[in-house]
Amino acid sequence: MAAPEPEIPGPLSATLSARAGEVECPAFALRRATRAGADPDDAAPIVLARGEGTRVVDVDGNAYLDLVAGFGSVLLGHGHPALRRALHAQIDTLVQGLGDVYASDVKVALLEQLAALHPSVGAQVLLTQSGADAVGAAQKTATLATGRHGLLAFDGAYHGLAHGPLAACGFKASFREPFAPELSPLVQFCPYPGIRGASLDASLSLVRETLRAGTIGAVLVEPIAGRGGCVVPPAGFLRDLGTLAREAGALLVADEVWTGFGRSGAWLRSVAEGVVPDIVCLGKGLGGGVPISACIASREAMAGWARGEAIHTSTHAGAPLGCSAALAVLEVLRAEDLVPRAHDLGQAAVAAFRERLDHPLVREVRGAGLMLGVELDSARTALRISRELLRRGHLVITGGIDGATLTLTPPLTVTAGELDGFAEALARSLDAA
Ligand code: PMP
């Protein structure tokens, strides 16, 4: 006799979600209800209890292959022994230092390692707490370096929701609108090739035109539009963007919060694409699930901070736990060769998915490294399929500007067999839809 279908969400998840709904900011419940449309029960969330490797288990004991991995942050999988060892040791030694006043030893070690990741000699680093914080630091760095307040950003872009990066959020105008008078009026948006049908030429010619006035201090770009649906721009886009920015006296800021640190199959996607960004933002996977981020800039770009009294810091910026986590992640990525592995595994997965998922509901399979997008015919289908996948033991989320893309950011330790299993589960879910 076939095993009974698991109840998802199970009763404990349902109870805990209801409790959260009472005390958590209502924006999230509203979003769930809106997504669920006529059938709000169908979008009731699960509540996670534990994780091990590529698996997570919810409070009702249902296990899933975790293809989201903390929005891409759990780079080594859940509970990687090296990360646990480093964190336990750090908790036993020093949980908090004095950041920018009296550094900790692990902070100094991490600063050196991150500076060396930048392609220029003598790069310098500002440690921050979240992706948005790193982007905000990059915005300020560019302003100080160029004396210009204008920012060029892209349609479909997501850089975090603090006020600085929110002004550059091309992902959803509705995220910006209620706060519009508080946001920088000096952001100009250009089309991102591949989003809303924009071509490479259309994008670059608008960039050229926007830069002509000489008011733009920074060109802020995701090397692959992550939240925008894992949209990979055509080869040459970043290189040309770098050239145009340089000619116009603006800095190129590569927001590698999503793509960087191996996720996209390269340490830095921008560098792999042949560009030397003036500033790089890292976050997400940097701490392997522990919050830490960084703004890394060439010495020239960072030099503005050496003139005047402005600083960018916060209580937990560069705190020892995040630093020791990042050092452990770096060491494991190198020791286990996970970055080239992510590149090869991702390339094979895109090819295999394209073949296995040749289905009328699938518009496109795309991605680089282990950031993969499967665009379906609508947001409604994507939500329905993601629920069905949950029932089949696979955890994914939806993304893309219209919400129609299943977005995968598994731990870099995921196996080819697990990715095949996902493709199979997705094919069956599509057939059942
Ligand atoms: N930049 C990019 C490219 C991102 O994908 C994100 C988060 N999805 C951010 C910045 C913001 O990071 P955080 O959520 O940690 O603030």
Side-chain angles (χ1 to χ4, degrees):
M1 207 172 68
E5 286 259 310
E7 195 185 342
I8 293 180
L12 291 175
S13 280
T15 306
L16 280 172
S17 311
R19 280 169 51 190
E22 286 300 313
V23 288
E24 192 174 30
C25 164
F28 310 113
L30 173 65
R31 181 181 57 181
R32 267 195 297 276
T34 309
R35 283 183 179 172
D39 185 9
D41 280 349
D42 195 40
I46 54 169
V47 175
L48 299 178
R50 56 183 198 277
E52 190 182 341
T54 53
R55 306 266 148 187
V56 282
V57 179
D58 71 17
V59 287
D60 294 285
N62 299 309
Y64 311 89
L65 175 65
D66 184 4
L67 294 159
V68 186
F71 306 109
S73 66
V74 182
L75 211 54
L76 307 181
H78 296 274
H80 191 288
L83 182 55
R84 288 171 56 181
R85 262 196 313 275
L87 286 170
H88 285 148
Q90 194 59 53
I91 284 171
D92 290 342
T93 348
L94 183 72
V95 170
Q96 176 62 303
L98 283 175
D100 54 305
V101 179
Y102 295 136
S104 62
D105 49 1
V106 278
K107 177 181 158 178
V108 178
L110 182 65
L111 289 170
E112 287 172 349
Q113 297 270 350
L114 292 182
L117 272 190
H118 194 274
S120 70
V121 177
Q124 293 177 315
V125 182
L126 250 176
L127 289 176
T128 42
Q129 300 186 74
S130 65
D133 193 11
V135 174
Q139 290 173 281
K140 289 181 179 176
T141 301
T143 298
L144 290 176
T146 64
R148 299 179 186 173
H149 302 279
L151 181 74
L152 189 157
F154 287 90
D155 182 32
Y158 187 85
H159 302 288
L161 300 182
H163 277 65
L166 178 58
C169 178
F171 176 69
K172 268 194 202 308
S174 56
F175 284 8
R176 300 193 311 266
E177 273 156 7
F179 313 105
E182 303 159 34
L183 303 178
S184 167
L186 302 175
V187 177
Q188 287 175 268
F189 290 96
C190 286
Y192 190 90
I195 289 188
R196 279 187 255 275
S199 70
L200 178 63
D201 284 352
S203 171
L204 289 175
S205 76
L206 239 122
V207 168
R208 206 172 282 115
E209 205 178 302
T210 306
L211 289 172
R212 196 165 293 139
T215 54
I216 297 292
V219 173
L220 174 61
V221 66
E222 290 172 86
I224 295 172
R227 193 154 180 196
C230 286
V231 176
V232 184
F237 171 61
L238 286 174
R239 232 182 17 246
D240 289 353
L241 207 56
T243 307
L244 292 175
R246 193 164 312 111
E247 285 170 1
L251 302 190
L252 185 73
V253 181
D255 179 355
E256 301 239 18
V257 165
W258 192 322
T259 49
F261 231 55
R263 165 65 57 200
S264 63
W267 284 95
L268 296 175
R269 172 80 182 176
S270 51
V271 174
E273 286 293 292
V275 75
V276 176
D278 299 287
I279 307 178
V280 173
C281 301
L282 290 178
K284 287 194 186 280
L286 178 60
V290 177
I292 179 164
S293 62
C295 163
I296 312 172
S298 70
R299 211 166 190 88
E300 301 73 48
M302 206 56 108
W305 290 106
R307 305 184 283 265
E309 288 193 13
I311 56 170
H312 184 87
T313 189
S314 53
T315 304
H316 295 285
L321 279 183
C323 291
S324 61
L327 286 167
V329 174
L330 251 171
E331 200 175 310
V332 173
L333 289 179
R334 286 189 179 129
E336 298 184 11
D337 251 347
L338 290 177
V339 180
R341 182 181 178 276
H343 175 273
D344 296 348
L345 209 52
Q347 207 164 43
V350 168
F353 287 9
R354 282 184 181 152
E355 196 176 314
R356 184 67 188 89
L357 301 172
D358 182 14
H359 189 282
L361 292 177
V362 178
R363 272 197 216 139
E364 194 180 24
V365 174
R366 55 182 178 247
L370 290 171
M371 54 186 292
L372 304 165
V374 180
E375 186 177 333
L376 303 181
D377 74 330
S378 68
R380 200 179 161 73
T381 304
L383 280 173
R384 204 150 26 97
I385 295 290
S386 68
R387 297 297 292 181
E388 183 56 33
L389 281 166
L390 216 50
R391 282 189 276 272
R392 293 171 189 266
H394 289 80
L395 181 58
V396 299
I397 51 170
T398 61
I401 47 164
D402 56 1
T405 301
L406 301 177
T407 304
L408 277 60
T409 53
L412 300 195
T413 51
V414 74
T415 65
E418 287 173 328
L419 292 171
D420 283 349
F422 160 76
E424 192 56 35
L426 175 53
R428 285 169 192 261
S429 305
L430 290 164
D431 285 342

